[in-house]
C-alpha cells in the first residue's frame, strides 16, 4: 500500500493504492470518514485485485476546504482518480453511506467505468429534513483539540466507528484534531439529503449489491423500492451490525464483498 496524491483542479485528492493486482476495486468512505477506515476492507481483496481507497474532498488527507461540495464534484473526483492513476476500466466501485451515494452516481453518469457496484448502508438520498444541520452541529460540538486518544475516547466512545475516528486524528502541537471541518461535512451531505436520485438509480446498468446492517439506517421501504426498480440487484443484511457494517462485522462483510466482486 502506498499513499499517492492526484490533483483535480484546485483540489488535491489523497488515495491509498495497492498499485498492482487483478481486476480493480475502488473504495469510497462515508461522511467524515477516510480511506484509512476502508483500507482493511480493501486489503482483504489484495493481491487478487488492485485496490484503491480515496480520501474524498474535504476528508482525510485531501483538500480540507474545497470550493465545490456538489455531487457533481464528488463524482468528478472519482472519475479523475481512476483516470489519473491508470486504473484499468471498468472497476468494481464500493461505497459506504455518502460514498455509496457517490458510487451510485458514478455508475449512472459513467456506466462505462463501473462493472460492479456495491452500496453499503446507502440509498438514493432525499428525505433527510434537517439531517445536514444536525450532523454539522454534532461535529461542531466535539471539544477539540483532544488532549490525547484517551480524551477523545471519553467523548466519542468506543464503538468501531469511534475507534476509527480516533486512529485517524491529526496530531498538531496543541493536540489531536479530526481530519475534517464540521461546516464542510454539513454542506457536503446537504445535497444528498435534499434530492432523491431515483432517475439516476434507474440508469445504473452495473450489477449492484446492497449491503445493510441489521440495525442500519436506510429505510426498508427505500430498499424495497430499489430492489423492485431494477432486476440486477442483490440485497444482503448483515446481522448484529449498524450503519458501519464494514467496521461492526468486518469478517461477515468481507465474505459478502468477496462473493460479489469475484
Amino acid at each position: 500500500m502506498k499513499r499517492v496524491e492526484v490533483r483535480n483542479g484546485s483540489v488535491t485528492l489523497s488515495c491509498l493504492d495497492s498499485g498492482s493486482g487483478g481486476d480493480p476495486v475502488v473504495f469510497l468512505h462515508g461522511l467524515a470518514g477516510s480511506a484509512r477506515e476502508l483500507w482493511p476492507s480493501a486489503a482483504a481483496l489484495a493481491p487478487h485485485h488492485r485496490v484503491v481507497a480515496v480520501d474524498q474532498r474535504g476528508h482525510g488527507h485531501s483538500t480540507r476546504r474545497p470550493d465545490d461540495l456538489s455531487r457533481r464534484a464528488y463524482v468528478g473526483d472519482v472519475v479523475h482518480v481512476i483516470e489519473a492513476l491508470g486504473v484499468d476500466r471498468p472497476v468494481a466501485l464500493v461505497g459506504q453511506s455518502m460514498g455509496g451515494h457517490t458510487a451510485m452516481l458514478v455508475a449512472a453518469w459513467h456506466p462505462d467505468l463501473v462493472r460492479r457496484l456495491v452500496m453499503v448502508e446507502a440509498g438514493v438520498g432525499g428525505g433527510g429534513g434537517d439531517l445536514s444541520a444536525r450532523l454539522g452541529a454534532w461535529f461542531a460540538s466535539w471539544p477539540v483539540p483532544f488532549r490525547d486518544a484517551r480524551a477523545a475516547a471519553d467523548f466519542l466512545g468506543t464503538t468501531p466507528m469511534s475507534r476509527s475516528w480516533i486512529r485517524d486524528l491529526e496530531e498538531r502541537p496543541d493536540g489531536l484534531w479530526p481530519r475534517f471541518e464540521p461546516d464542510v461535512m454539513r454542506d457536503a451531505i446537504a445535497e444528498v439529503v435534499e434530492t432523491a436520485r431515483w432517475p439516476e438509480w434507474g440508469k445504473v446498468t452495473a450489477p449492484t449489491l446492497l449491503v445493510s446492517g441489521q440495525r442500519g439506517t436506510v429505510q426498508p421501504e427505500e430498499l424495497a423500492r430499489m430492489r423492485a426498480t431494477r432486476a440486477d440487484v442483490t440485497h444482503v443484511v448483515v446481522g448484529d451490525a449498524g450503519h458501519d457494517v464494514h467496521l461492526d462485522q468486518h469478517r461477515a462483510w468481507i465474505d459478502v464483498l468477496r462473493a460479489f466482486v469475484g
Side-chain angles (χ1 to χ4, degrees):
M1 179 271 288
K2 59 182 178 180
R3 186 170 286 279
V4 297
E5 290 187 347
V6 171
R7 191 77 177 175
N8 188 18
S10 63
V11 172
T12 297
L13 300 165
S14 181
C15 308
L16 297 175
D17 183 3
S18 70
S20 62
D23 292 338
V25 185
V26 177
F27 289 80
L28 304 175
H29 61 78
L31 185 73
S34 73
R36 181 176 178 178
E37 167 195 333
L38 280 171
W39 190 252
S41 297
L45 299 184
H48 302 293
H49 298 270
R50 180 183 178 180
V51 288
V52 177
V54 183
D55 276 340
Q56 297 182 82
R57 58 175 57 206
H59 296 75
H61 293 261
S62 294
T63 296
R64 197 174 180 97
R65 284 194 171 278
D67 55 8
D68 187 352
L69 292 168
S70 68
R71 297 279 74 208
R72 287 280 178 186
Y74 278 91
V75 168
D77 286 343
V78 178
V79 175
H80 188 75
V81 163
I82 291 171
E83 294 174 346
L85 294 182
V87 178
D88 291 340
R89 288 156 279 182
V91 307
L93 195 52
V94 181
Q96 190 264 342
S97 194
M98 187 184 81
H101 190 270
T102 304
M104 176 192 71
L105 295 181
V106 173
W109 295 340
H110 302 273
D112 57 312
L113 289 185
V114 182
R115 67 178 180 86
R116 295 230 158 191
L117 172 64
V118 182
M119 298 172 64
V120 186
E121 275 291 306
V124 300
D130 63 348
L131 177 62
S132 58
R134 288 189 284 114
L135 286 172
W138 185 70
F139 290 128
S141 75
W142 292 18
V144 294
F146 295 115
R147 181 181 66 257
D148 52 28
R150 177 173 294 182
D154 287 343
F155 179 78
L156 294 172
T158 58
T159 66
M161 188 68 238
S162 296
R163 292 196 296 269
S164 179
W165 273 323
I166 293 167
R167 284 192 297 268
D168 210 29
L169 290 170
E170 178 184 356
E171 185 173 0
R172 300 181 188 174
D174 59 347
L176 301 176
W177 290 81
R179 293 189 181 274
F180 56 81
E181 298 291 344
D183 60 319
V184 173
M185 298 299 96
R186 178 197 65 209
D187 294 345
I189 199 67
E191 191 178 341
V192 177
V193 301
E194 285 170 0
T195 305
R197 301 281 185 165
W198 290 111
E200 285 85 352
W201 172 251
K203 292 178 181 177
V204 173
T205 57
T208 301
L209 172 65
L210 303 177
V211 181
S212 303
Q214 185 180 17
R215 304 185 308 277
T217 61
V218 183
Q219 294 301 306
E221 296 80 8
E222 181 175 354
L223 291 166
R225 182 176 172 184
M226 292 174 77
R227 295 194 304 270
T229 304
R230 292 176 38 215
D232 55 348
V233 176
T234 303
H235 181 210
V236 174
V237 179
V238 177
D240 196 23
H243 188 60
D244 301 299
V245 175
H246 59 302
L247 300 175
D248 295 342
Q249 295 294 338
H250 179 74
R251 185 169 297 179
W253 147 243
I254 292 301
D255 288 343
V256 169
L257 179 63
R258 281 176 172 155
F260 185 73
V261 301

